[in-house]
Amino acid sequence: MIDLGLPSGTKWACCNVGASKPEDYGGYYEWGQIADASTIDQIKELINSWSSVWTTLNGVNGRMFTGPNGGQVFLPAAGCRWDGEFYGVGSDGWYWSGTLSEYGDDYAHGLYFNSGGVLWGDEDRRVGKPVRPVAR
């Protein structure tokens, strides 16, 4: 776990669930399959407390997030999986949080980024996305 000096004390894993290196995509999971996903508040902290740049790590596109203490976490642009097809691989990053959306039980919050920026939003829970674990 990487300590980035965040106000909450949240530490982010160096790799996605199922990955062995920071630039590996890991697995694609429907919402709720992984217990240690970040909360939407932790994702908001990621967006508001960190700086990030679109970059390439060992040939893989993604965003490098730098925390207040200078620690860094790379999130690869792994895209997502829907109905057996992959979308946005190499150009878009979609990551689940562990927080359901207020729009109903079929939706959950997540992180989205591309070369233009970073934001959070809601997605159908059946979409397969990577998960980056967190710890306190």
Side-chain angles (χ1 to χ4, degrees):
M1 301 306 277
I2 300 171
D3 182 2
L4 299 156
L6 299 173
S8 69
T10 298
K11 294 177 177 71
W12 289 75
C14 67
C15 301
N16 292 346
V17 173
S20 60
K21 298 182 290 190
E23 66 271 21
D24 288 348
Y25 296 153
Y28 293 80
Y29 305 94
E30 291 183 7
W31 186 86
Q33 289 183 300
I34 303 297
D36 53 358
S38 60
T39 66
I40 192 58
D41 289 336
Q42 290 166 323
I43 285 178
K44 288 177 182 178
E45 182 181 51
L46 170 105
I47 294 170
N48 296 325
S49 298
W50 300 15
S51 64
S52 73
V53 294
W54 182 258
T55 190
T56 301
L57 179 65
N58 297 322
V60 177
N61 291 334
R63 280 212 167 258
M64 183 70 75
F65 293 88
T66 302
N69 69 358
Q72 294 185 312
V73 170
F74 178 78
L75 296 179
C80 67
R81 186 172 180 164
W82 176 253
D83 201 24
E85 300 290 327
F86 289 95
Y87 297 92
V89 175
S91 62
D92 300 294
W94 280 289
Y95 285 79
W96 280 127
S97 80
T99 308
L100 278 173
S101 169
E102 58 275 3
Y103 295 115
D105 290 343
D106 292 336
Y107 297 91
H109 293 303
L111 171 70
Y112 172 76
F113 63 83
N114 60 20
S115 62
V118 184
L119 55 92
W120 64 273
D122 301 301
E123 189 79 52
D124 187 306
R125 290 174 45 184
R126 297 170 294 171
V127 174
K129 296 183 186 182
V131 172
R132 181 61 62 101
V134 297
R136 288 197 178 178

